[in-house]
Amino acid sequence: MTSRSSSSTYSSIRGAAPSASRPTGGWRAVVLLVAVMALIIATLDVATPADFRARALLGLVPVMVALLAPVSVTAVVTGMLICVYLGLQAVAPLPTSGSWAVLGPLMIGTGGLLGVLIARRREEQRARLQALTDIAEATQRAVMRGLPERFEDLRIADFYQPAARAARVGGDWYDFQPSPYGVRAVLGDVSGKGLPAVSASAWLLGAFREAAYHEERIEEVARRLEIAMQRYSAWTRLTNDEGLTDAFSTGLLLHFPPTSPDVVDVVNFGHEPPLVVTADGRVHTPDLPAGLPLGMGTLSAAGPGVARLPFGVGDTLILFTDGVTECRDEGGTFYPVRERLPRLLSPRGAQEPPEALLRRLAEDLREHRYGPPSDDAAITVLRRTAERAPYQNEADAELYSYRPKETADSAVQGAVAQYATDMRFLECASRSISSTKASA
């Protein structure tokens, strides 16, 4: 399995942070600002009568530069302005006595000192903001981890556009997990917005990563996700947190059986069904039984059904959340993804990388949208390929290799089975809050 990141789109924060020594807007902005202001002031100074000199206004330039440049640049500019002042004195000298002789140097010196203080304060605030951004970035990566371009015989491209600015994660959640029983994938949309939705999606992603690896049956993975959603709501009620006390989440859970490389099993938790693009370029929406959203499983005695769909080499699955289908244009029309997708397909069909199709779909969605995004939007494109991506080493391959029950290593299989047995009947975790013990 390759370790390269896929084409995830986090354009709002993916750009490299500007260097602390590099002026905001670049060196051109600083040079242009200093040159224009100095030229205007010098021209006014020469053009005005002798009883009025504008050269004292040079003291304003360091203050303006401090809004863009670091301390060192502000200090250098102040020194250059003093030279400009001396040059103007040589061209049109001021009387050696009177207020004008003192006002010019005083204003430049005061402006330079004030500019240095402003620049230093701005740099300190920028450093604190960068530290907070780094912490937020690490936290968000822990919730929504990066994905490789390939999982065994699957090629992946993913797109995520959170509604919140400068965020990497929101109420939409998705992930992939290889396991001894095949690759599992999930994509969902938590009710609500903001930090409570982020907390709920993190809770579900953690449950998925563990259950998808340890559980053999996809129905059990689905049940564990349902329990995780119920536990999240119970925990927020117990702690009086600002979370979603009655949270639910729609979602699609996928299982790619290693013994059947031409099918995919799908569990639908009340989510938008995916789009399927066959190897010959046909687009259709599969007929999936829609179960209840996660968190509402107690409303039905029957668990969610599992549908098996054909998914052979060259076929493509496109999963998306309602941030895509409910994206509105200027007239309030929803984005018709099922009607637009056939027009976005390349004549190359299955020969085209899924990243290219995802890029066109994301750009078409952005062109359709009027104004900033009002909801999180996630898209995942999966392509079945003939070749399998190798793992980095034998230990990794052994960790995820298919182990049928009858031939599995007894120690490894026993550990997996024991974990599943231990977790299956523990729907609540006990913790101590202040001096009161409670479970949720």
Side-chain angles (χ1 to χ4, degrees):
M1 182 183 299
T2 61
S3 59
R4 292 184 300 166
S5 296
S6 70
S7 57
S8 302
T9 301
Y10 299 108
S11 57
S12 58
I13 63 173
R14 176 159 281 202
S19 171
S21 61
R22 184 176 182 272
T24 303
W27 291 103
R28 287 186 178 181
V30 174
V31 173
L32 185 61
L33 175 64
V34 173
V36 170
M37 291 190 69
L39 181 61
I40 292 175
I41 293 173
T43 303
L44 287 175
D45 186 85
V46 174
T48 52
D51 58 347
F52 177 78
R53 294 299 186 186
R55 65 189 66 172
L57 297 177
L58 291 172
L60 299 176
V61 179
V63 178
M64 301 299 295
V65 171
L67 300 177
L68 301 177
V71 173
S72 58
V73 176
T74 305
V76 170
V77 168
T78 302
M80 294 174 57
L81 292 173
I82 293 176
C83 295
V84 172
Y85 181 84
L86 295 176
L88 291 173
Q89 276 287 85
V91 173
L94 293 174
T96 56
S97 62
S99 60
W100 282 111
V102 180
L103 183 60
L106 181 62
M107 284 198 65
I108 296 176
T110 303
L113 178 61
L114 183 60
V116 167
L117 294 176
I118 293 174
R120 181 178 179 180
R121 180 64 175 172
R122 188 176 60 85
E123 287 184 353
E124 291 175 351
Q125 292 179 342
R126 187 175 185 177
R128 285 196 293 268
L129 179 60
Q130 185 61 48
L132 292 175
T133 301
D134 292 341
I135 294 172
E137 173 80 3
T139 303
Q140 290 172 336
R141 283 188 178 275
V143 175
M144 189 67 74
R145 61 184 179 182
L147 300 176
E149 291 180 349
R150 294 178 181 273
F151 267 110
E152 298 188 356
D153 60 347
L154 298 175
R155 188 163 181 175
I156 304 167
D158 61 299
F159 167 86
Y160 198 179
Q161 176 61 68
R165 291 184 177 181
R168 280 184 58 104
V169 64
D172 291 358
W173 54 287
Y174 61 90
D175 204 356
F176 290 77
Q177 180 61 56
S179 79
Y181 315 108
V183 176
R184 277 75 187 267
V186 70
L187 179 142
D189 183 4
V190 175
S191 60
K193 296 179 182 180
L195 291 178
V198 174
S199 176
S201 63
W203 195 289
L204 288 168
L205 283 169
F208 167 76
R209 290 162 186 166
E210 288 300 304
Y213 178 82
H214 288 284
E215 298 292 352
E216 180 179 11
R217 299 176 63 248
I218 193 63
E219 294 89 345
E220 190 60 33
V221 178
R223 197 183 77 88
R224 291 270 297 276
L225 288 175
E226 171 63 31
I227 293 173
M229 191 77 269
Q230 294 181 21
R231 290 176 61 199
Y232 170 80
S233 296
W235 188 261
T236 55
R237 289 191 293 269
L238 178 67
T239 58
N240 294 320
D241 197 2
E242 295 181 357
L244 304 171
T245 54
D246 295 306
F248 66 90
S249 175
T250 63
L252 292 172
L253 177 62
L254 279 63
H255 169 61
F256 300 89
T259 55
S260 303
D262 56 352
V263 299
V264 58
D265 295 331
V266 183
V267 179
N268 185 2
F269 300 102
H271 195 78
E272 284 273 357
L275 281 166
V276 178
V277 182
T278 60
D280 57 4
R282 293 181 291 111
V283 180
H284 70 277
T285 300
D287 185 16
L288 295 179
L292 293 173
L294 293 169
M296 297 183 177
T298 54
L299 300 178
S300 174
V306 180
R308 174 157 288 190
L309 305 178
F311 190 61
V313 173
D315 291 345
T316 303
L317 268 175
I318 302 175
L319 287 64
F320 46 87
T321 60
D322 60 6
V324 175
T325 56
E326 295 179 4
C327 174
R328 298 174 182 264
D329 62 9
E330 188 174 3
T333 303
F334 290 124
Y335 180 69
V337 60
R338 302 184 188 279
E339 291 75 20
R340 297 283 279 270
L341 183 64
R343 309 175 194 173
L344 301 175
L345 293 176
S346 167
R348 296 174 57 195
Q351 303 299 320
E352 181 187 42
E355 295 85 1
L357 173 59
L358 176 68
R359 190 177 302 110
R360 286 198 299 273
L361 181 57
E363 290 175 353
D364 192 56
L365 177 68
R366 184 166 51 249
E367 292 175 359
H368 178 87
R369 184 180 66 234
Y370 178 72
S374 59
D375 195 7
D376 304 325
I379 307 173
T380 303
V381 180
L382 309 175
R383 170 79 50 78
R384 175 90 78 177
T385 61
E387 66 278 2
R388 301 179 70 87
Y391 287 88
Q392 295 296 322
N393 53 58
E394 294 182 2
D396 291 350
E398 175 62 23
L399 184 65
Y400 296 116
S401 62
Y402 175 60
R403 295 190 291 267
K405 280 189 174 181
E406 60 273 13
T407 61
D409 176 80
S410 58
V412 175
Q413 186 63 34
V416 172
Q418 184 61 45
Y419 178 91
T421 302
D422 291 344
M423 295 299 298
R424 191 164 292 127
F425 302 104
L426 294 179
E427 300 188 4
C428 300
S430 297
R431 289 197 178 184
S432 175
I433 302 177
S434 300
S435 59
T436 305
K437 291 185 177 181
S439 62

